Amino acid sequence: MTLHQTPHLTPVPAPGPTPLLSIEDLVVQYRRPGAEPTRAVAGVSLEVRAGEVVGLVGESGCGKSTLARAVCGLTPAKEGTIAFDGTPVTPLRVRRRDPELTRVQMVFQDPYGSLNPRRRVGTQIADGIRTAAGRGEGPDGATPEDFLTRVGLSAGDAGRYPQEFSGGQRQRIAIARALAARPRLLVGDEPISALDASAQSQVATLMRSLAVESGAGLLFISHDLSVVRLIADRIAVMYLGRIVETGPTAEVWANPRHPYTRALLAAIPQPDGAGRLPAELPGDVPDPAAPPSGCRFHPRCPLAFDGCDREDPHLIAGVACRLYTAA
Ligand code: ADP
């Protein structure tokens, strides 16, 4: 599948009543000596349900990785809550290595760095199987070879080393290792951005089908809306530490409302070389240690009007923009 084709998504089971992942008013900040703290995540609420694929998109520096790391307990929350399966993810549970938290598995951007070059891939996937066993899940006889086959590699690859594989194949191995731990939630933090274009859509669609098949949720993070659109049921657009728009993928794609979402869409190159919409996004993401007043997007917004530099819009009916709320 190429990035310009209409996606053919696997059917999604009806969302369950309790969200698998529930993030409420999350704030995550970094401290540097002598400097203002950087609020990389500045009040985010987001849910992922079992069997649902949520795509989190935004330019580099918007706080997507920080959010992913907080979900996995790798970076502590300053304020707000993260609950997995109805139970808060607390620093204590993380410190004590609560086995339940291994039901959240992360696939990172760099398939070179995330695998150990000195261990055979089968041994590394066996680590995932042991993680599931550590939660008391009885062995069902699944082997590393089985997981390799599920990600489109061959059973014979188990005895080989990571450097014998391409980037896309290594990412499949990382996915096999994550799957072997029987996650209920998979978090992909830019899992395709280091891959070439053809491997990108293959790995993204593979992650979707494996998550949906196993009934897990998938939080798929990418700066590339054209890839997220192929696999996500729902999209959340992040800008400077906040969610600025969220909704079902088809709706956001067909009718982007926030000027930032429109700009992200406009930036997607089309097969004929032209942009999708006639709009340009000037400048870079500002420093989150000193965010702009009012709406954080207003200095770059082509549609900013009186008051956008003073009033900070809330997310209302899926969009945080005064165009839709100002009288
Ligand atoms: P994204 O994943 O969207 O590119 P990140 O979460 O990596 O965004 O970064 C969000 C902001 O937090 C950026 O301004 C980045 O410079 C800052 N940041 C990320 N990690 C750290 C860190 N360890 N220490 C200080 N600042 C950080």
Side-chain angles (χ1 to χ4, degrees), residues 12-60:
V12 188
T18 311
L20 198 54
L21 175 70
S22 178
I23 302 173
E24 271 180 45
D25 302 324
L26 179 71
V27 174
V28 184
Q29 71 179 28
Y30 298 106
R31 289 200 154 274
R32 284 166 299 170
E36 283 296 306
T38 299
R39 288 199 154 203
V41 175
V44 163
S45 298
L46 184 70
E47 287 184 352
V48 182
R49 293 173 183 274
E52 184 186 38
V53 179
V54 175
L56 183 66
V57 291
E59 286 164 287
S60 173

Short mmCIF file of all heavy atoms in Angstrom, two decimals, residues 12-60:
data_model
loop_
_atom_site.label_atom_id
_atom_site.label_comp_id
_atom_site.label_asym_id
_atom_site.label_seq_id
_atom_site.Cartn_x
_atom_site.Cartn_y
_atom_site.Cartn_z
N VAL A 12 -12.81 -3.11 13.41
CA VAL A 12 -12.47 -2.87 14.82
C VAL A 12 -13.62 -3.33 15.69
O VAL A 12 -14.77 -3.01 15.43
CB VAL A 12 -12.29 -1.36 15.06
CG1 VAL A 12 -11.74 -1.10 16.44
CG2 VAL A 12 -11.40 -0.76 14.01
N PRO A 13 -13.32 -4.09 16.77
CA PRO A 13 -14.40 -4.47 17.68
C PRO A 13 -14.98 -3.22 18.35
O PRO A 13 -14.29 -2.22 18.49
CB PRO A 13 -13.71 -5.36 18.73
CG PRO A 13 -12.26 -5.34 18.43
CD PRO A 13 -12.00 -4.56 17.19
N ALA A 14 -16.25 -3.30 18.74
CA ALA A 14 -16.87 -2.16 19.41
C ALA A 14 -16.07 -1.82 20.66
O ALA A 14 -15.68 -2.72 21.40
CB ALA A 14 -18.30 -2.50 19.80
N PRO A 15 -15.78 -0.53 20.89
CA PRO A 15 -14.97 -0.17 22.05
C PRO A 15 -15.62 -0.60 23.35
O PRO A 15 -16.83 -0.53 23.49
CB PRO A 15 -14.91 1.36 21.97
CG PRO A 15 -15.36 1.73 20.60
CD PRO A 15 -16.22 0.62 20.10
N GLY A 16 -14.82 -1.07 24.28
CA GLY A 16 -15.33 -1.52 25.58
C GLY A 16 -15.71 -0.32 26.43
O GLY A 16 -15.37 0.81 26.11
N PRO A 17 -16.43 -0.54 27.53
CA PRO A 17 -16.88 0.58 28.35
C PRO A 17 -15.75 1.29 29.10
O PRO A 17 -15.74 2.50 29.19
CB PRO A 17 -17.86 -0.08 29.34
CG PRO A 17 -17.56 -1.53 29.31
CD PRO A 17 -16.90 -1.83 28.01
N THR A 18 -14.78 0.53 29.63
CA THR A 18 -13.69 1.16 30.38
C THR A 18 -12.51 1.36 29.44
O THR A 18 -12.07 0.40 28.81
CB THR A 18 -13.21 0.25 31.53
OG1 THR A 18 -14.36 -0.17 32.24
CG2 THR A 18 -12.24 0.96 32.44
N PRO A 19 -11.96 2.58 29.38
CA PRO A 19 -10.79 2.73 28.52
C PRO A 19 -9.61 1.93 29.07
O PRO A 19 -9.45 1.81 30.29
CB PRO A 19 -10.50 4.23 28.55
CG PRO A 19 -11.51 4.85 29.41
CD PRO A 19 -12.35 3.80 30.04
N LEU A 20 -8.83 1.41 28.17
CA LEU A 20 -7.63 0.67 28.55
C LEU A 20 -6.62 1.65 29.15
O LEU A 20 -6.03 1.41 30.19
CB LEU A 20 -7.08 0.07 27.26
CG LEU A 20 -6.12 -1.04 27.28
CD1 LEU A 20 -6.66 -2.18 28.10
CD2 LEU A 20 -5.87 -1.49 25.84
N LEU A 21 -6.46 2.75 28.43
CA LEU A 21 -5.56 3.81 28.89
C LEU A 21 -6.37 5.08 29.05
O LEU A 21 -7.11 5.47 28.15
CB LEU A 21 -4.46 4.04 27.85
CG LEU A 21 -3.52 5.21 28.16
CD1 LEU A 21 -2.62 4.88 29.34
CD2 LEU A 21 -2.68 5.54 26.94
N SER A 22 -6.24 5.68 30.21
CA SER A 22 -6.97 6.91 30.46
C SER A 22 -6.00 7.95 31.02
O SER A 22 -5.46 7.77 32.12
CB SER A 22 -8.10 6.60 31.44
OG SER A 22 -8.78 7.76 31.73
N ILE A 23 -5.77 8.99 30.26
CA ILE A 23 -4.85 10.05 30.69
C ILE A 23 -5.70 11.27 30.98
O ILE A 23 -6.52 11.67 30.15
CB ILE A 23 -3.86 10.39 29.55
CG1 ILE A 23 -3.06 9.15 29.15
CG2 ILE A 23 -2.93 11.53 29.94
CD1 ILE A 23 -2.19 9.37 27.92
N GLU A 24 -5.50 11.85 32.17
CA GLU A 24 -6.30 13.03 32.52
C GLU A 24 -5.42 14.17 33.00
O GLU A 24 -4.64 14.01 33.94
CB GLU A 24 -7.31 12.68 33.62
CG GLU A 24 -8.62 12.19 33.02
CD GLU A 24 -9.63 11.84 34.09
OE1 GLU A 24 -9.78 12.63 35.03
OE2 GLU A 24 -10.22 10.75 33.96
N ASP A 25 -5.57 15.30 32.32
CA ASP A 25 -4.89 16.56 32.71
C ASP A 25 -3.40 16.34 33.01
O ASP A 25 -2.86 16.89 33.97
CB ASP A 25 -5.57 17.19 33.95
CG ASP A 25 -7.04 17.46 33.69
OD1 ASP A 25 -7.37 17.82 32.55
OD2 ASP A 25 -7.86 17.28 34.62
N LEU A 26 -2.77 15.56 32.18
CA LEU A 26 -1.37 15.20 32.43
C LEU A 26 -0.42 16.36 32.16
O LEU A 26 -0.49 17.03 31.12
CB LEU A 26 -0.98 14.01 31.53
CG LEU A 26 0.46 13.52 31.66
CD1 LEU A 26 0.66 12.82 33.00
CD2 LEU A 26 0.82 12.56 30.52
N VAL A 27 0.46 16.59 33.13
CA VAL A 27 1.55 17.56 32.96
C VAL A 27 2.86 16.83 33.22
O VAL A 27 2.99 16.13 34.23
CB VAL A 27 1.42 18.75 33.96
CG1 VAL A 27 2.62 19.68 33.87
CG2 VAL A 27 0.12 19.51 33.72
N VAL A 28 3.79 16.94 32.29
CA VAL A 28 5.12 16.36 32.48
C VAL A 28 6.13 17.46 32.22
O VAL A 28 6.04 18.15 31.20
CB VAL A 28 5.39 15.18 31.51
CG1 VAL A 28 6.73 14.54 31.80
CG2 VAL A 28 4.28 14.15 31.57
N GLN A 29 7.04 17.64 33.14
CA GLN A 29 8.02 18.71 32.91
C GLN A 29 9.45 18.25 33.17
O GLN A 29 9.69 17.30 33.90
CB GLN A 29 7.68 19.95 33.71
CG GLN A 29 7.89 19.83 35.20
CD GLN A 29 7.55 21.14 35.91
OE1 GLN A 29 6.73 21.93 35.45
NE2 GLN A 29 8.20 21.39 37.04
N TYR A 30 10.35 18.91 32.46
CA TYR A 30 11.78 18.66 32.64
C TYR A 30 12.37 19.87 33.35
O TYR A 30 12.00 21.00 33.08
CB TYR A 30 12.48 18.50 31.29
CG TYR A 30 11.97 17.34 30.48
CD1 TYR A 30 11.16 17.54 29.37
CD2 TYR A 30 12.30 16.03 30.81
CE1 TYR A 30 10.69 16.47 28.61
CE2 TYR A 30 11.84 14.95 30.07
CZ TYR A 30 11.04 15.18 28.97
OH TYR A 30 10.58 14.13 28.24
N ARG A 31 13.30 19.59 34.26
CA ARG A 31 13.95 20.67 34.98
C ARG A 31 15.42 20.72 34.58
O ARG A 31 16.07 19.69 34.48
CB ARG A 31 13.88 20.43 36.50
CG ARG A 31 12.50 20.60 37.05
CD ARG A 31 12.56 20.83 38.57
NE ARG A 31 11.38 21.57 38.99
CZ ARG A 31 11.29 22.89 38.98
NH1 ARG A 31 12.30 23.63 38.58
NH2 ARG A 31 10.19 23.50 39.36
N ARG A 32 15.88 21.92 34.35
CA ARG A 32 17.31 22.11 34.10
C ARG A 32 17.79 23.16 35.08
O ARG A 32 17.07 24.14 35.32
CB ARG A 32 17.56 22.61 32.66
CG ARG A 32 17.43 21.52 31.62
CD ARG A 32 17.34 22.14 30.25
NE ARG A 32 16.15 23.00 30.15
CZ ARG A 32 15.91 23.83 29.14
NH1 ARG A 32 16.77 23.93 28.16
NH2 ARG A 32 14.81 24.57 29.13
N PRO A 33 18.99 22.99 35.66
CA PRO A 33 19.46 23.94 36.66
C PRO A 33 19.50 25.36 36.08
O PRO A 33 19.97 25.54 34.96
CB PRO A 33 20.87 23.46 37.01
CG PRO A 33 21.02 22.11 36.39
CD PRO A 33 19.96 21.93 35.37
N GLY A 34 18.95 26.30 36.84
CA GLY A 34 19.03 27.71 36.42
C GLY A 34 18.09 28.09 35.29
O GLY A 34 18.18 29.21 34.79
N ALA A 35 17.20 27.20 34.88
CA ALA A 35 16.30 27.55 33.77
C ALA A 35 14.87 27.27 34.19
O ALA A 35 14.61 26.52 35.13
CB ALA A 35 16.66 26.71 32.54
N GLU A 36 13.94 27.91 33.49
CA GLU A 36 12.52 27.64 33.72
C GLU A 36 12.25 26.17 33.38
O GLU A 36 12.84 25.65 32.43
CB GLU A 36 11.67 28.51 32.79
CG GLU A 36 11.55 29.96 33.22
CD GLU A 36 10.82 30.08 34.55
OE1 GLU A 36 9.70 29.55 34.66
OE2 GLU A 36 11.38 30.72 35.48
N PRO A 37 11.36 25.50 34.14
CA PRO A 37 11.04 24.12 33.75
C PRO A 37 10.37 24.07 32.37
O PRO A 37 9.65 25.00 32.01
CB PRO A 37 10.08 23.65 34.84
CG PRO A 37 9.71 24.84 35.64
CD PRO A 37 10.67 25.94 35.33
N THR A 38 10.65 23.02 31.64
CA THR A 38 10.03 22.82 30.33
C THR A 38 8.81 21.95 30.51
O THR A 38 8.95 20.77 30.85
CB THR A 38 11.04 22.11 29.38
OG1 THR A 38 12.16 22.95 29.23
CG2 THR A 38 10.42 21.83 28.02
N ARG A 39 7.63 22.51 30.31
CA ARG A 39 6.39 21.71 30.38
C ARG A 39 6.17 21.07 29.02
O ARG A 39 5.49 21.62 28.16
CB ARG A 39 5.21 22.59 30.73
CG ARG A 39 5.24 23.04 32.15
CD ARG A 39 3.89 23.50 32.61
NE ARG A 39 3.84 23.34 34.05
CZ ARG A 39 2.74 23.22 34.77
NH1 ARG A 39 1.58 23.22 34.18
NH2 ARG A 39 2.80 23.08 36.07
N ALA A 40 6.79 19.92 28.82
CA ALA A 40 6.70 19.26 27.50
C ALA A 40 5.29 18.73 27.24
O ALA A 40 4.84 18.69 26.11
CB ALA A 40 7.72 18.13 27.42
N VAL A 41 4.62 18.31 28.32
CA VAL A 41 3.19 17.94 28.22
C VAL A 41 2.48 18.87 29.20
O VAL A 41 2.79 18.89 30.38
CB VAL A 41 2.97 16.45 28.58
CG1 VAL A 41 1.48 16.12 28.58
CG2 VAL A 41 3.70 15.54 27.60
N ALA A 42 1.55 19.68 28.68
CA ALA A 42 1.03 20.80 29.49
C ALA A 42 -0.47 20.71 29.72
O ALA A 42 -1.20 21.67 29.52
CB ALA A 42 1.40 22.11 28.80
N GLY A 43 -0.94 19.51 30.12
CA GLY A 43 -2.37 19.36 30.40
C GLY A 43 -3.07 18.60 29.30
O GLY A 43 -3.83 19.18 28.53
N VAL A 44 -2.79 17.30 29.23
CA VAL A 44 -3.35 16.47 28.15
C VAL A 44 -4.29 15.42 28.72
O VAL A 44 -3.98 14.78 29.72
CB VAL A 44 -2.21 15.78 27.35
CG1 VAL A 44 -2.73 14.61 26.52
CG2 VAL A 44 -1.52 16.78 26.43
N SER A 45 -5.46 15.27 28.09
CA SER A 45 -6.37 14.18 28.41
C SER A 45 -6.56 13.36 27.13
O SER A 45 -6.75 13.94 26.06
CB SER A 45 -7.72 14.71 28.89
OG SER A 45 -7.54 15.47 30.07
N LEU A 46 -6.49 12.04 27.29
CA LEU A 46 -6.55 11.18 26.11
C LEU A 46 -6.94 9.77 26.56
O LEU A 46 -6.53 9.34 27.63
CB LEU A 46 -5.17 11.14 25.44
CG LEU A 46 -5.00 10.39 24.13
CD1 LEU A 46 -5.72 11.11 22.99
CD2 LEU A 46 -3.52 10.26 23.76
N GLU A 47 -7.74 9.09 25.75
CA GLU A 47 -8.11 7.70 26.07
C GLU A 47 -7.78 6.79 24.90
O GLU A 47 -7.85 7.20 23.75
CB GLU A 47 -9.63 7.61 26.30
CG GLU A 47 -10.07 8.21 27.59
CD GLU A 47 -11.57 8.02 27.83
OE1 GLU A 47 -12.27 7.54 26.90
OE2 GLU A 47 -12.01 8.33 28.94
N VAL A 48 -7.42 5.54 25.24
CA VAL A 48 -7.29 4.50 24.22
C VAL A 48 -8.08 3.30 24.72
O VAL A 48 -7.92 2.88 25.87
CB VAL A 48 -5.82 4.08 23.98
CG1 VAL A 48 -5.74 3.02 22.89
CG2 VAL A 48 -4.94 5.27 23.63
N ARG A 49 -8.97 2.78 23.89
CA ARG A 49 -9.78 1.62 24.28
C ARG A 49 -9.20 0.35 23.70
O ARG A 49 -8.40 0.39 22.77
CB ARG A 49 -11.21 1.82 23.79
CG ARG A 49 -11.87 2.95 24.52
CD ARG A 49 -13.22 3.34 23.99
NE ARG A 49 -13.68 4.48 24.75
CZ ARG A 49 -14.33 4.40 25.91
NH1 ARG A 49 -14.62 3.22 26.42
NH2 ARG A 49 -14.69 5.48 26.55
N ALA A 50 -9.62 -0.78 24.27
CA ALA A 50 -9.14 -2.08 23.76
C ALA A 50 -9.54 -2.20 22.30
O ALA A 50 -10.66 -1.86 21.93
CB ALA A 50 -9.75 -3.20 24.59
N GLY A 51 -8.61 -2.68 21.48
CA GLY A 51 -8.91 -2.88 20.06
C GLY A 51 -8.94 -1.60 19.25
O GLY A 51 -9.28 -1.62 18.08
N GLU A 52 -8.55 -0.48 19.88
CA GLU A 52 -8.61 0.80 19.18
C GLU A 52 -7.20 1.29 18.85
O GLU A 52 -6.28 1.11 19.64
CB GLU A 52 -9.30 1.83 20.08
CG GLU A 52 -9.51 3.17 19.40
CD GLU A 52 -10.08 4.25 20.33
OE1 GLU A 52 -9.69 4.29 21.51
OE2 GLU A 52 -10.88 5.04 19.85
N VAL A 53 -7.07 1.92 17.69
CA VAL A 53 -5.78 2.49 17.30
C VAL A 53 -5.92 4.02 17.32
O VAL A 53 -6.73 4.58 16.59
CB VAL A 53 -5.35 2.02 15.90
CG1 VAL A 53 -4.02 2.65 15.51
CG2 VAL A 53 -5.27 0.50 15.85
N VAL A 54 -5.15 4.65 18.20
CA VAL A 54 -5.17 6.11 18.29
C VAL A 54 -3.84 6.63 17.76
O VAL A 54 -2.77 6.18 18.18
CB VAL A 54 -5.39 6.57 19.75
CG1 VAL A 54 -5.29 8.09 19.87
CG2 VAL A 54 -6.75 6.10 20.26
N GLY A 55 -3.93 7.54 16.82
CA GLY A 55 -2.72 8.13 16.25
C GLY A 55 -2.48 9.49 16.87
O GLY A 55 -3.37 10.34 16.87
N LEU A 56 -1.29 9.68 17.44
CA LEU A 56 -0.94 10.97 18.04
C LEU A 56 0.06 11.64 17.10
O LEU A 56 1.14 11.11 16.86
CB LEU A 56 -0.31 10.72 19.42
CG LEU A 56 0.06 11.95 20.23
CD1 LEU A 56 -1.17 12.74 20.64
CD2 LEU A 56 0.84 11.53 21.49
N VAL A 57 -0.35 12.79 16.55
CA VAL A 57 0.49 13.45 15.55
C VAL A 57 0.84 14.88 15.97
O VAL A 57 0.11 15.51 16.74
CB VAL A 57 -0.17 13.51 14.15
CG1 VAL A 57 -0.27 12.15 13.53
CG2 VAL A 57 -1.51 14.19 14.20
N GLY A 58 1.92 15.37 15.40
CA GLY A 58 2.36 16.74 15.66
C GLY A 58 3.81 16.84 15.25
O GLY A 58 4.50 15.83 15.15
N GLU A 59 4.27 18.08 15.04
CA GLU A 59 5.67 18.27 14.65
C GLU A 59 6.61 17.82 15.76
O GLU A 59 6.20 17.72 16.92
CB GLU A 59 5.95 19.77 14.43
CG GLU A 59 5.38 20.36 13.19
CD GLU A 59 5.39 21.88 13.32
OE1 GLU A 59 4.57 22.41 14.09
OE2 GLU A 59 6.21 22.51 12.66
N SER A 60 7.85 17.65 15.38
CA SER A 60 8.88 17.30 16.35
C SER A 60 8.95 18.40 17.43
O SER A 60 8.82 19.58 17.11
CB SER A 60 10.19 17.20 15.57
OG SER A 60 11.23 17.02 16.44
#
